[in-house]
Amino acid sequence: MSDSTARPSIEFGSGGARRLTIVRGDKAGLWDEQGRRYVDLGATHGAGSLGAAHPDIAAAVAEQARTLLYLGSGYGNPVRTAFLEKLLGLLPPSFGRVFLSNSGTEAVEAAIKIARSATGRSGVVAAMRGFHGRTLGALSATWRRELREPFEPLVPGFSHVPFNDASALERAVDGSTGLILLEPVQGEGGVHVATSEYLRAARSIADRSGALLAFDEVQTGIARTGRLFAFEHSGVVPDLLTLAKSLAGGVPIGATVTSTEVEARFRGTHHSTFGGNPLACAAGIAALDVTVRERLAERAERLGALAMARLSELPEERVREVRGQGLLIGIELREKVAPYLRALEAKGYLAIPAGATVLRLLPPLVIGEDDWHNGLDAIAEVIVHGAR
Ligand SMILES: *Cc1c(COP(=O)(O)O)cnc(C)c1O
């Protein structure tokens, strides 16, 4: 452990906890102050899909910073336009408008406002175990009680239904519902993959009721699940799509994508000072280029399939279930995950939880094959031999 972690943390909300200090990185490598290398199996929380310091992102950011660091979104800018065209070029033609912000929760917040305004209805139906962010609107759609309770009352009109249960969704949606908000794979909530039938049912329930359908792909978006967007697995196209995390290769960004029809029904205004800034857009262009050029969706699918085969051999006495899609994988243990994460860290591998008992793997899509294989070995070892 590094020296600086011996000081209590002055960061709000850290509980004064000491933790590992990281000073630099590359693909899946993260180094502490003493020069010890760790492998990122989730430490960059899905924002580091291209690794911790991709040279193309670094070059794009440096060049843009020297050219035009900031510009308000009231002015046109060719870098922003190029980024939006590139993003829309990867999406089905029904999508024609993008609102840019700076984070996932802002992307969801915009989707909620757009749906309210476009439909004239304030009801939102979201899923149990769903996670959509921590600002008050997005938090109202988030499921976990510990995240919500200290901040109540939240925004009225939100309800939660069991995930992957089409009839429960059908019963919950009525004439007051403006938005159905779902993750194609629930990430924070324990890695639960939506079935294609469920997403198809959600599409038709939305169509029949006049609600809009939003997929929150903040975590699943941009090649993570083995497709550029997770909705491609089912072919179900939503009305609204939220993106963030890895969209600009690790630079803060959020995007709410809609059809032109939805925009035409929108009344009011929505705006962000930093949304669509040239720095993030330049990084976004570079990130999309790298993702397509390096075929990272295919890579995620291949490395994910490899892992699922390997992890399915883990002993049933310790593992309840292994779930996942591409390089978003959850290993549900029969006991608390925290000691396992500590044991992995001691071996030089950084993974993250998804709830109390799920070990979540969310590695950079550019992770080297050796790091991935060794990481899976390390996981098998701590699970088979126990964390303590
Ligand atoms: C991480 C996440 C968010 C919130 O994103 P922030 O950038 O942390 O605000 C929202 N939705 C999903 C599905 C996420 O995984």
Side-chain angles (χ1 to χ4, degrees):
M1 298 295 136
S2 56
D3 289 328
S4 71
T5 57
R7 293 194 296 269
S9 173
I10 53 175
E11 290 169 45
F12 186 88
S14 69
R18 300 163 53 180
R19 46 183 181 195
L20 185 60
T21 297
I22 298 296
V23 294
R24 70 185 173 89
D26 61 6
K27 290 184 171 191
L30 293 171
W31 280 264
D32 71 9
E33 290 162 301
Q34 274 74 49
R36 178 168 188 209
R37 181 177 188 268
Y38 292 84
V39 176
D40 174 15
L41 300 178
T44 52
H45 286 223
S49 285
L50 305 185
H54 195 291
D56 287 24
I57 306 296
V61 165
E63 193 189 326
Q64 189 58 47
R66 283 192 291 263
T67 309
L68 181 67
L69 185 60
Y70 177 75
L71 180 75
S73 61
Y75 299 90
N77 175 252
V79 179
R80 190 192 316 129
T81 305
F83 171 60
L84 296 180
E85 283 174 352
K86 205 169 270 282
L87 177 60
L88 288 176
L90 298 173
L91 285 162
S94 61
F95 289 116
R97 295 288 186 271
V98 187
F99 176 79
L100 289 175
S101 55
N102 314 287
S103 65
T105 199
E106 285 173 80
V108 170
E109 210 66 44
I112 295 168
K113 283 180 73 177
I114 291 168
R116 272 194 177 202
S117 165
T119 63
R121 304 171 178 184
S122 60
V124 177
V125 177
M128 292 173 181
R129 291 192 302 235
F131 181 87
H132 300 287
R134 294 169 186 260
T135 52
L136 286 174
L139 185 62
S140 304
T142 290
W143 167 248
R144 250 172 67 203
R145 187 146 44 111
E146 315 88 87
L147 303 185
R148 300 160 52 89
E149 246 176 22
F151 309 105
E152 289 174 345
L154 297 177
V155 179
F158 286 71
S159 61
H160 293 87
V161 291
F163 191 61
N164 267 339
D165 180 343
S167 35
L169 183 60
E170 174 116 56
R171 286 193 301 276
V173 172
D174 61 23
S176 71
T177 307
L179 183 66
I180 299 171
L181 175 59
L182 299 169
E183 295 159 272
V185 183
Q186 294 185 316
E188 305 295 315
V191 188
H192 297 272
V193 183
T195 64
S196 294
E197 302 79 72
Y198 182 60
L199 298 180
R200 274 196 291 276
R203 178 70 275 176
S204 77
I205 292 165
D207 290 341
R208 283 201 303 276
S209 68
L212 298 179
L213 178 64
F215 288 164
D216 182 352
E217 293 228 33
V218 166
Q219 189 156 150
T220 54
I222 326 297
R224 167 68 49 193
T225 68
R227 301 285 184 277
L228 281 178
F229 304 95
F231 71 77
E232 294 173 33
H233 289 283
S234 65
V236 175
V237 180
D239 304 299
L240 294 150
L241 178 69
T242 55
L243 302 168
K245 290 202 163 99
S246 71
L247 180 59
V251 174
I253 195 166
T256 310
V257 190
T258 82
S259 62
T260 36
E261 288 74 15
V262 167
E263 191 208 33
R265 293 162 61 192
F266 178 73
R267 301 281 170 268
T269 62
H270 191 53
H271 182 252
S272 159
T273 296
F274 279 114
N277 72 80
L279 200 67
C281 290
I285 293 171
L288 293 178
D289 284 346
V290 169
T291 302
V292 171
R293 189 180 69 230
E294 297 186 8
R295 298 173 173 275
L296 294 182
E298 285 165 46
R299 195 155 199 279
E301 184 166 48
R302 184 170 58 82
L303 295 185
L306 234 147
M308 291 301 281
R310 178 78 205 281
L311 297 171
S312 70
E313 293 164 5
L314 292 174
E316 261 177 58
E317 312 88 74
R318 295 199 184 267
V319 175
R320 202 179 293 277
E321 193 177 33
V322 181
R323 301 180 289 264
Q325 201 169 49
L327 284 177
L328 171 49
I329 297 170
I331 306 167
E332 185 170 346
L333 304 172
R334 293 189 185 275
E335 54 184 343
K336 291 251 180 335
V337 67
Y340 290 88
L341 297 176
R342 283 195 295 272
L344 278 172
E345 182 177 317
K347 287 176 174 294
Y349 296 90
L350 304 177
I352 50 175
T357 59
V358 176
L359 194 162
R360 180 168 34 148
L361 302 178
L362 201 64
L365 309 182
V366 295
I367 188 170
E369 307 240 349
D370 280 2
D371 277 340
W372 188 231
H373 285 285
N374 294 339
L376 296 172
D377 283 348
I379 289 164
E381 205 171 299
V382 299
I383 288 179
V384 170
H385 295 123
R388 275 154 291 218

